[in-house]
Amino acid sequence: MHTRRRGSSGSDKPAADEPPEWSDVDAEDIEDRVVELAEQGYDPSQIGMKLRDEGVTGTPIPDVKLATGKKVTEILEENDATSDIPEDLYNLMERAVRLREHVQQNPQDYQNKRALQNTESKVRRLVDYYRGDELEPDFTYSYDVAKDLIDEE
């Protein structure tokens, strides 16, 4: 919605029904590694990249869902290792806090004022989306709330 011009193009993941033959790691080992990385403070997307790059016992895991039948977030939910705020909302709130602090120091930076407005608008829409399921029903976004949540984690 608030992107530059016409969106972005990128590569698509190849359609596959089962993991490749060379990646034959046991699903339980993968789940243990996912929980271990979460306890070290990694987000679900970072966990997926670490498993892709480093793997489990030296064997890369190209796709956790193909290897285990569950998404990274599902594995974390089963093991009670999820964070209080969804990852996408947390990242947007972190960006909004950085932008707010920048705009307070640089009041003439109109481009970043606009970026702050767009980012906070995205945050409010996501809060509406997650409210009740993953957030408290009375949760509302404000700079102070976001600052406290980010400083907390």
Side-chain angles (χ1 to χ4, degrees):
M1 178 173 229
H2 301 296
T3 58
R4 299 181 190 275
R5 301 291 174 209
R6 294 193 170 85
S8 62
S9 62
S11 61
D12 293 329
K13 287 175 55 174
D17 296 338
E18 52 193 45
E21 297 171 6
W22 50 264
S23 179
D24 58 351
V25 180
D26 186 37
E28 289 183 18
D29 293 340
I30 296 171
E31 290 185 24
D32 292 340
R33 181 72 174 142
V34 166
V35 173
E36 177 186 325
L37 289 171
E39 289 171 353
Q40 293 175 9
Y42 290 100
D43 295 327
S45 59
Q46 293 172 326
I47 291 171
M49 289 189 298
K50 281 197 104 32
L51 289 176
R52 179 197 67 200
D53 297 340
E54 299 171 7
V56 177
T57 63
T59 305
I61 310 298
D63 192 347
V64 173
K65 186 172 181 189
L66 285 180
T68 63
K70 303 176 210 169
K71 294 182 180 181
V72 173
T73 52
E74 291 173 357
I75 294 170
L76 294 175
E77 285 172 2
E78 288 177 359
N79 293 290
D80 296 326
T82 57
S83 64
D84 298 336
I85 303 171
E87 181 183 10
D88 53 352
L89 179 60
Y90 179 81
N91 291 336
L92 276 175
M93 288 170 71
E94 197 172 42
R95 180 178 183 183
V97 168
R98 277 196 324 264
L99 280 169
R100 174 72 57 116
E101 291 169 356
H102 171 80
V103 167
Q104 287 172 349
Q105 293 174 356
N106 305 282
Q108 295 294 313
D109 191 350
Y110 297 111
Q111 194 169 14
N112 278 320
K113 278 187 183 180
R114 175 74 175 143
L116 174 62
Q117 290 172 346
N118 290 342
T119 304
E120 287 186 337
S121 175
K122 287 180 186 180
V123 169
R124 285 189 201 95
R125 285 196 307 269
L126 261 184
V127 165
D128 286 342
Y129 176 76
Y130 285 125
R131 188 178 291 128
D133 293 335
E134 300 180 34
L135 296 174
E136 294 88 38
D138 60 342
F139 182 87
T140 54
Y141 169 78
S142 71
Y143 169 72
D144 298 326
V145 170
K147 182 90 172 127
D148 291 341
L149 288 172
I150 289 169
D151 289 342
E152 195 175 279
E153 291 192 27

